[in-house]
Amino acid sequence: MNIQLEKLTSIYHENTPFEHLALNNITTEFKEGTYYGIIGHTGSGKSTMIQNLNGLLLPSYGEVHIGDITLRRKTKQRIIHLVKKRVGMVFQFPEHQLFEESVIKDVMFGPKNIGMDEETAREKAEYYLKLLNVDRALFDIPPFDLSGGQMRKVAIAGILAMEPEVLILDEPTAGLDPLSHIETMQLFQKIQKEMGITVILVTHDMNDVYEYTDEVKLLNQGNLIRSGRTEEILTDAGLLQKYDLEVPDIVRLTSDLGKKGIEFPKIPKNREEFINLYMKWRDGYAE
Amino acid sequence: MIEFNDVTYSYRTGNHNALDHISLNFRQGEWTSVIGHNGSGKSTLVKILMGVLEGYEGEIKVDGEVMTEENLPDIRKRFAIVFQNPDNQFVGATVEDDVAFGLENNGVGRDEMVNRVEEALRSVNMLEYRTHEPSRLSGGQKQRVAIAGALAMQPDLLILDEATSMLDPQGRREVLEILREIHREKLTTLIYITHDLAEIGVSDHAVVMKDGRVINEGTVEEIYQDTDALVSSRLVLPFTISLADRLLDGCYMSYDELVERL
Amino acid sequence: MLSKMLLGRYIPGNSMVHRFDPRAKIIAVFLFMIIVFFANHWTGYLLLVLFVLSLTKLAGLSLVFLFNGLKLILLLIVFTFMMHLFFTKGGTVLIDAGWFTIESEGVIRGIYITIRLAMLILITTLLTLTTSPLSLTDAIERICRPLKAIKVPVHEIAMMMSISLRFIPTLMDETEKIIKAQSARGSTFMTGSLKSRLNALTPVFIPLFISAFKRAEEMAMAMEVRGYQGEEGRTNYRVLDWQWKDTFAIILMILFGIVLFMIRQ
């Protein structure tokens, strides 16, 4: 399922003194099975954009096509509800949305809301909790008795169990320690590859965007500046600096080595690839 | 300045020691980082020092004087602490009110209070925001206000308990930069609690904790001698270090050195 | 709609009215509430209206702005007027439609009551529009200080008020976030029966309460380690500065009351 934005304009508090243009006439596409990163400085419109992708916000002008569903300014709640089945959203600090008396019930909440019966919902919940390494012994205890990291896993399982075709991640690693950060990002990568779903990642962390995404959309003050392959946009140091974004560590190091005359055939995607390329270069240099 | 001598503590609910025979020394004027994964005991350490947890074994000395129930209130007045959540420690309705809060509690006179608030806000570069409400500030700015509130108390020791863990990369940088400046200019004694090795670069002394024990201690360079111990403590090596470790036989170096030596 | 509502809002400014000591403003509004009832014929009411209008001018606020912001309240005023129009009897009969009559006394009483109500609403709105919630809290604490003699915890109440005020925007944000998060999980707030709509609120309120308790706990700890021990030995950073102009304003208010009392008929 693809998502198309057609001349999407989003205005907050329209016709009041607080009027604010959050997105300005954006036309772009999110293709099925691709891992996207949305980047931009605070206030660039990232969060408005993703809320338009699952009906939390409706366009002020223009249209959002989610598969065969079209969202417009006055789309009915009944239609919007259909979108929730297809597009899942993991908010920043998702553990704040837990409320049920047991872990398993909380994970079943979303699936049941979109019409799964009790049994299917339980099956899905158990499957995704296991996928996220949540121990079966914890299924029946209140989610509030868990540690912060486990609570976040339960909250994420609650979205995955709805089996969305598109998964939106809003700063999914905020507040996590570095190891959990890596584990969480690798998990999303695995899910994206195995289930072939579209993932849309919003984050400040350019290293993650560079390492995990296929395509990038760069926003600034409500305008779509660039949209294209991650390797093109995140290796363009001039572009990133212009919009106050950081250059990924690997890209920076590769380019600094390039200045020293150490040239790689391509810019490595992660640390392992860097090490391999460097070893090869060193072997070649030694000969 | 602060000495932990064989301190052991266990929570009533836990079946193992949260702190297991800890002996540590935090020296005057030094920036000491305490690094550990969740559950390593680093937060327990702070809570004991702040007198929030009682009933530990062993002794804690502050400037040679053993900490007891009687002198705890006076000792605690000499420490200031900044917590993790920027929102939940902002007491005042505006930036300046929040910085003044601790001073008001300690009965500091109004004229001195005004001076100290101004000076503290200037040292964290937040003076121009003095009349702002917290809802109009970023997470990094709120933490800077919390640091100003701590500094205004003119403490002998400033403790930062995972003060950057809820901030975005920019907020994190802001806070670390401010701390570096303050430490350099005022020689404030700092205890910096973190789970991120990338943040310990500027500290004079580093302590690595795991399962309630100190597993390594020394200068930053020294603790990077044993990267395996760090990794087995569920810590993640920073970018530069991890590459240096794999490609240049594990040496502690800066980014520029890495580029130079590769 | 709500963003235009003025009741209880504060508009920062630097007008003469803004700069009065909040205590003076509260006392003046209190006096005004008494004075309003002195007026009992048209000269008195005219003076009241003139007084409030000139204050509005002094506060640098436009009447149109106030009128727009108080539209909802206007309904209440119109309703009060109607009640008097139809049910207050006396004087000459103006309209006699058989099943109801409108008599001159009803019209006059209706107009008077309307003016009274409108002026009371305007003056209290002026108070909140020109005084920050924080200054109001401070002022109430100082004014109520004598109540401590009868064991009213004035300081604690004021501290609670100011912390609540500080947390209102935070909790509003949080509520919005949780509503969005649950709505993304397929929770519906806008459709279904009243019962199902109420049920849909559980997933919002529980997380909200849990986070509010967590905040309260952390806040208490932060306050404690920053040396908070109640009012004893505490100094104040914010000081209220009672000046001559404040005394003058109160005297003026009393004089105004005396004049209104003298011209009663």
Side-chain angles (χ1 to χ4, degrees), chain A residues 77, chain C residues 187-205:
Chain A
Q77 276 301 321
Chain C
S187 208
T188 44
F189 304 97
M190 318 282 204
T191 53
S193 64
L194 185 67
K195 188 167 168 269
S196 71
R197 283 188 205 202
L198 284 178
N199 274 338
L201 289 178
T202 319
V204 175
F205 280 123

Short mmCIF file of all heavy atoms in Angstrom, two decimals, chain A residues 77, chain C residues 187-205:
data_model
loop_
_atom_site.label_atom_id
_atom_site.label_comp_id
_atom_site.label_asym_id
_atom_site.label_seq_id
_atom_site.Cartn_x
_atom_site.Cartn_y
_atom_site.Cartn_z
N GLN A 77 -15.34 10.55 10.58
CA GLN A 77 -14.65 9.71 11.56
C GLN A 77 -14.64 8.23 11.15
O GLN A 77 -13.66 7.53 11.36
CB GLN A 77 -15.35 9.83 12.93
CG GLN A 77 -14.90 11.02 13.75
CD GLN A 77 -13.42 11.01 14.03
OE1 GLN A 77 -12.80 9.98 14.28
NE2 GLN A 77 -12.80 12.19 13.97
N SER C 187 -8.90 3.84 19.33
CA SER C 187 -9.90 4.28 20.29
C SER C 187 -10.73 5.39 19.64
O SER C 187 -10.19 6.25 18.96
CB SER C 187 -9.17 4.84 21.51
OG SER C 187 -9.92 4.71 22.65
N THR C 188 -12.06 5.35 19.83
CA THR C 188 -12.88 6.39 19.20
C THR C 188 -13.52 7.25 20.27
O THR C 188 -14.14 6.76 21.20
CB THR C 188 -13.98 5.78 18.32
OG1 THR C 188 -14.56 4.71 19.04
CG2 THR C 188 -13.41 5.28 17.02
N PHE C 189 -13.36 8.55 20.13
CA PHE C 189 -13.91 9.48 21.12
C PHE C 189 -15.13 10.21 20.57
O PHE C 189 -15.92 10.74 21.31
CB PHE C 189 -12.86 10.51 21.53
CG PHE C 189 -11.62 9.90 22.05
CD1 PHE C 189 -10.53 9.73 21.23
CD2 PHE C 189 -11.55 9.48 23.37
CE1 PHE C 189 -9.38 9.14 21.71
CE2 PHE C 189 -10.40 8.90 23.86
CZ PHE C 189 -9.31 8.73 23.03
N MET C 190 -15.23 10.23 19.24
CA MET C 190 -16.23 11.12 18.62
C MET C 190 -17.51 10.37 18.22
O MET C 190 -18.50 10.99 17.90
CB MET C 190 -15.66 11.74 17.34
CG MET C 190 -14.23 12.19 17.47
SD MET C 190 -14.12 13.73 18.35
CE MET C 190 -12.58 14.33 17.73
N THR C 191 -17.46 9.05 18.20
CA THR C 191 -18.63 8.33 17.70
C THR C 191 -19.17 7.37 18.77
O THR C 191 -18.53 7.12 19.77
CB THR C 191 -18.28 7.51 16.45
OG1 THR C 191 -17.15 6.70 16.78
CG2 THR C 191 -17.94 8.39 15.28
N GLY C 192 -20.34 6.86 18.51
CA GLY C 192 -20.93 5.87 19.40
C GLY C 192 -21.83 6.50 20.45
O GLY C 192 -21.99 7.72 20.51
N SER C 193 -22.40 5.64 21.29
CA SER C 193 -23.33 6.12 22.31
C SER C 193 -22.57 6.87 23.39
O SER C 193 -21.34 6.82 23.46
CB SER C 193 -24.05 4.93 22.93
OG SER C 193 -23.10 4.12 23.59
N LEU C 194 -23.31 7.53 24.25
CA LEU C 194 -22.70 8.28 25.34
C LEU C 194 -21.86 7.34 26.20
O LEU C 194 -20.75 7.68 26.61
CB LEU C 194 -23.79 8.95 26.18
CG LEU C 194 -23.27 9.86 27.29
CD1 LEU C 194 -22.58 11.08 26.71
CD2 LEU C 194 -24.39 10.28 28.22
N LYS C 195 -22.39 6.12 26.41
CA LYS C 195 -21.69 5.16 27.26
C LYS C 195 -20.35 4.77 26.64
O LYS C 195 -19.33 4.75 27.32
CB LYS C 195 -22.56 3.93 27.46
CG LYS C 195 -21.99 2.97 28.49
CD LYS C 195 -23.01 1.92 28.91
CE LYS C 195 -22.34 0.83 29.71
NZ LYS C 195 -21.86 -0.27 28.86
N SER C 196 -20.36 4.50 25.33
CA SER C 196 -19.11 4.08 24.71
C SER C 196 -18.12 5.25 24.63
O SER C 196 -16.92 5.06 24.69
CB SER C 196 -19.36 3.48 23.33
OG SER C 196 -19.72 4.48 22.42
N ARG C 197 -18.66 6.46 24.54
CA ARG C 197 -17.76 7.61 24.56
C ARG C 197 -17.11 7.77 25.93
O ARG C 197 -15.94 8.09 26.05
CB ARG C 197 -18.52 8.89 24.23
CG ARG C 197 -18.81 9.01 22.76
CD ARG C 197 -19.39 10.35 22.44
NE ARG C 197 -20.17 10.28 21.24
CZ ARG C 197 -20.45 11.34 20.49
NH1 ARG C 197 -20.02 12.53 20.85
NH2 ARG C 197 -21.15 11.21 19.40
N LEU C 198 -17.89 7.55 26.97
CA LEU C 198 -17.35 7.64 28.32
C LEU C 198 -16.31 6.55 28.54
O LEU C 198 -15.26 6.78 29.13
CB LEU C 198 -18.46 7.53 29.36
CG LEU C 198 -19.31 8.78 29.53
CD1 LEU C 198 -20.42 8.54 30.54
CD2 LEU C 198 -18.45 9.97 29.98
N ASN C 199 -16.62 5.33 28.03
CA ASN C 199 -15.66 4.24 28.15
C ASN C 199 -14.35 4.57 27.49
O ASN C 199 -13.29 4.20 27.96
CB ASN C 199 -16.24 2.98 27.50
CG ASN C 199 -17.09 2.20 28.48
OD1 ASN C 199 -16.93 2.37 29.69
ND2 ASN C 199 -17.99 1.40 27.97
N ALA C 200 -14.44 5.28 26.36
CA ALA C 200 -13.23 5.63 25.61
C ALA C 200 -12.34 6.57 26.40
O ALA C 200 -11.18 6.76 26.05
CB ALA C 200 -13.62 6.25 24.27
N LEU C 201 -12.88 7.17 27.47
CA LEU C 201 -12.07 8.10 28.25
C LEU C 201 -11.15 7.39 29.25
O LEU C 201 -10.15 7.94 29.66
CB LEU C 201 -12.97 9.10 28.98
CG LEU C 201 -13.65 10.11 28.06
CD1 LEU C 201 -14.56 11.03 28.85
CD2 LEU C 201 -12.60 10.94 27.31
N THR C 202 -11.51 6.14 29.62
CA THR C 202 -10.66 5.41 30.57
C THR C 202 -9.20 5.35 30.11
O THR C 202 -8.31 5.66 30.88
CB THR C 202 -11.20 3.98 30.77
OG1 THR C 202 -12.61 4.06 30.85
CG2 THR C 202 -10.62 3.33 32.00
N PRO C 203 -8.94 4.95 28.84
CA PRO C 203 -7.55 4.89 28.39
C PRO C 203 -6.85 6.24 28.39
O PRO C 203 -5.65 6.31 28.24
CB PRO C 203 -7.65 4.36 26.95
CG PRO C 203 -9.01 3.84 26.80
CD PRO C 203 -9.88 4.52 27.79
N VAL C 204 -7.60 7.33 28.55
CA VAL C 204 -6.97 8.64 28.62
C VAL C 204 -6.71 9.01 30.08
O VAL C 204 -5.62 9.45 30.44
CB VAL C 204 -7.86 9.72 27.95
CG1 VAL C 204 -7.24 11.10 28.14
CG2 VAL C 204 -8.02 9.41 26.48
N PHE C 205 -7.73 8.78 30.92
CA PHE C 205 -7.60 9.23 32.30
C PHE C 205 -6.59 8.43 33.11
O PHE C 205 -5.84 8.99 33.89
CB PHE C 205 -8.96 9.24 33.00
CG PHE C 205 -9.75 10.45 32.64
CD1 PHE C 205 -11.01 10.37 32.08
CD2 PHE C 205 -9.19 11.71 32.83
CE1 PHE C 205 -11.71 11.50 31.72
CE2 PHE C 205 -9.90 12.86 32.48
CZ PHE C 205 -11.16 12.75 31.93
#
